[in-house]
Amino acid sequence: MAGINLVKGQKIDLTKGKAGLTHVIAGLGWDPVASKGFFGRKKQANIDCDASALLLGENGKLTKETNLVCFHNKQSLCRSVVHSGDNLTGEGEGDDEQIKINLAVVPADVHKILIVVNIYDCVNRKQDFGMIERAYIRILDGSNSQELVRFNLSDSYAGMTALICGELYRHGGEWKFSAIGEGAHAVHIDELARRYT
């Protein structure tokens, strides 16, 4: 069963009426835009996108340095957020990277989990999100991998080197998801994370 499709700016309750939903997976996918090579054949640029999660407090700030979960720090200190590992190309079907979240053990001082994507080594490789297509973020039920929500990032992100895809956040004792879809300029995830310190 397909999840609910959101558009930019929409929000949805994840846990309301789903008392057993404690484990969710943020799945992210993208494909490099095909370009013409020699003799009209199409080849794809090798673009290494990296998904990350920032665990933010009520004030929208990182509560501690270890609350950045990414390819070089695959697990939050509290172990509530775990990165699946780095996909170097974006090729193939399905999610390119996943971030697993155990909502039941997210520390009380964490109010938002912001999901972002950066292009690795974007300056040297002269790459930006205008070279990516079919990008999406989706939230799955971690117990059965059923898709709950999908947000297709269909805006033009040419010139942008980071994407703020969406966030899971606490509201009235429940967890919600917000489709953000904003482009940003940050050559590395650490640079983007500094904006939240």
Side-chain angles (χ1 to χ4, degrees), residues 33-161:
V33 173
S35 59
K36 291 212 177 199
F38 291 112
F39 310 112
R41 284 192 308 239
K42 290 191 173 182
K43 63 174 196 162
Q44 295 182 323
N46 183 17
I47 300 176
D48 179 6
C49 294
D50 294 315
S52 305
L54 290 84
L55 286 67
L56 307 177
E58 200 167 7
N59 60 357
K61 303 289 185 187
L62 272 172
T63 50
K64 49 183 79 81
E65 247 179 67
T66 52
N67 278 354
L68 167 60
V69 177
C70 57
F71 68 93
H72 63 74
N73 180 43
K74 289 194 177 76
Q75 183 172 271
S76 61
L77 199 60
C78 59
R79 298 185 178 177
S80 65
V81 180
V82 179
H83 195 291
S84 66
D86 197 6
N87 177 324
L88 301 177
T89 64
E91 291 178 2
E93 294 297 311
D95 299 340
D96 292 305
E97 293 189 9
Q98 292 185 331
I99 297 170
K100 296 174 181 167
I101 303 162
N102 183 346
L103 299 173
V105 297
V106 173
D109 66 343
V110 173
H111 287 257
K112 292 180 183 178
I113 301 170
L114 191 67
I115 309 293
V116 302
V117 179
N118 286 75
I119 298 176
Y120 177 74
D121 203 22
C122 60
V123 174
N124 290 331
R125 296 180 181 187
K126 297 181 173 61
Q127 294 174 337
D128 63 62
F129 277 103
M131 303 164 85
I132 291 288
E133 63 185 1
R134 291 187 291 278
Y136 67 83
I137 178 173
R138 63 186 188 139
I139 305 297
L140 310 172
D141 183 331
S143 67
N144 58 16
S145 295
Q146 180 185 329
E147 183 177 297
L148 303 172
V149 182
R150 176 180 286 257
F151 170 41
N152 292 315
L153 295 139
S154 54
D155 284 3
S156 171
Y157 298 107
M160 301 296 174
T161 55

Side-chain angles (χ1 to χ4, degrees), residues 12-22 24 103 173-176:
I12 190 168
D13 276 305
L14 287 178
T15 55
K16 195 170 187 178
K18 297 185 192 88
L21 183 65
T22 55
V24 296
L103 299 173
E174 303 290 347
W175 282 93
K176 291 189 168 192

